[in-house]
Amino acid sequence: MLTEKAYAFTHDRVQEAAFALLDKGEKSHLHLTTARLLADAARQAAGNELLFRAVHHVTAALDCSQPAPQRQMFRELSLLAARRAKRTGDYASALGYIQTARALGNAGAVSDFMLDIEEAGCEFALGHLERTRALCDAILGSPGGLTEKALAANLLAEVYLRQSDIRLALEAALCWLGVFGIQISRYPETAECDEAWQAFCLRARDAEPFSRLALMESEETEAVMNLLYSASIFASFTCPRLHFLLLCRMMHLTLDHGITGASTTAMAWFGV
């Protein structure tokens, strides 16, 4: 390819041969320069190709000396790539991007806590239950936000379910719901269910129609709703009355905070 001032070889093999002539430091510097050039464009691009290419170069340039703001920016970019890869079902690549983010140091908006929850989700999807359990235990035992804690508790309960221990899955979900301020009796009486039903009917009568409810905006509440949903599934196998109470609580949260994916399951049950 020729221009008035320069020329370039477009064939991959020629480029690879030229790259092979560079020493290790020069290669890392070239990767770093490429990562910088691609980073801004990758954030704005509609697809994932530029993003994944940018993080590939970030990974290849990890041994380069970089200022803290740049490492922070690359760490955020690597987390974004991990989430995009996870969304497409490429969990192995997502784990690689998470390791790149870890190697860039714990600084800025992306904490190790956030990386742990993403890693746990990938490991669970790959069927690595013991690794997922260890990560969830570490997340739940460390300081962190309610959203991440609820996600980890939900994932831990799902691990127990995959291991065919429904009672332990339900107990884990109920214990963490209690930590989040939602106390529900393990073995409710019929009178408790009747009271919960009457309370909901009174609220539903005076509330806006469900079709007019806004979407739930709180990530924390949505995470707790998902944990309630999981607990309701587990309870449906062992205790119908507990299952009913959990659905009632989900409906109250829906009326208070809006509709989310878990709301549809509760609405379907109340429509029966």
Side-chain angles (χ1 to χ4, degrees), residues 98 100 111 121 123 126 132 135 152 156-157 185 189 214 216 234 242 249:
I98 289 169
T100 295
S111 66
E123 295 287 8
L126 290 169
T132 305
L135 284 166
L156 181 61
S185 172
E189 301 292 336
M216 188 176 291
F234 307 147
L242 175 57
R249 190 59 63 92

Side-chain angles (χ1 to χ4, degrees), residues 210-257:
F210 293 129
S211 60
R212 296 182 187 174
L213 288 175
L215 294 177
M216 188 176 291
E217 296 181 353
S218 169
E219 291 185 357
E220 291 186 358
T221 306
E222 185 172 2
V224 172
M225 276 286 287
N226 289 335
L227 186 55
L228 279 165
Y229 166 73
S230 293
S232 72
I233 296 297
F234 307 147
S236 67
F237 290 98
T238 60
C239 185
R241 287 194 293 270
L242 175 57
H243 177 228
F244 181 80
L245 283 184
L246 290 164
L247 292 173
C248 284
R249 190 59 63 92
M250 291 168 69
M251 292 302 294
H252 280 293
L253 282 178
T254 298
L255 291 174
D256 290 337
H257 300 282

Side-chain angles (χ1 to χ4, degrees), residues 15 65 98 112 149 173 188 198 234 248 252 256 264:
Q15 294 180 8
S65 177
I98 289 169
D112 283 341
K149 294 278 188 180
Q198 293 300 324
F234 307 147
C248 284
H252 280 293
D256 290 337
T264 59

Side-chain angles (χ1 to χ4, degrees), residues 47 92 176:
W176 280 100

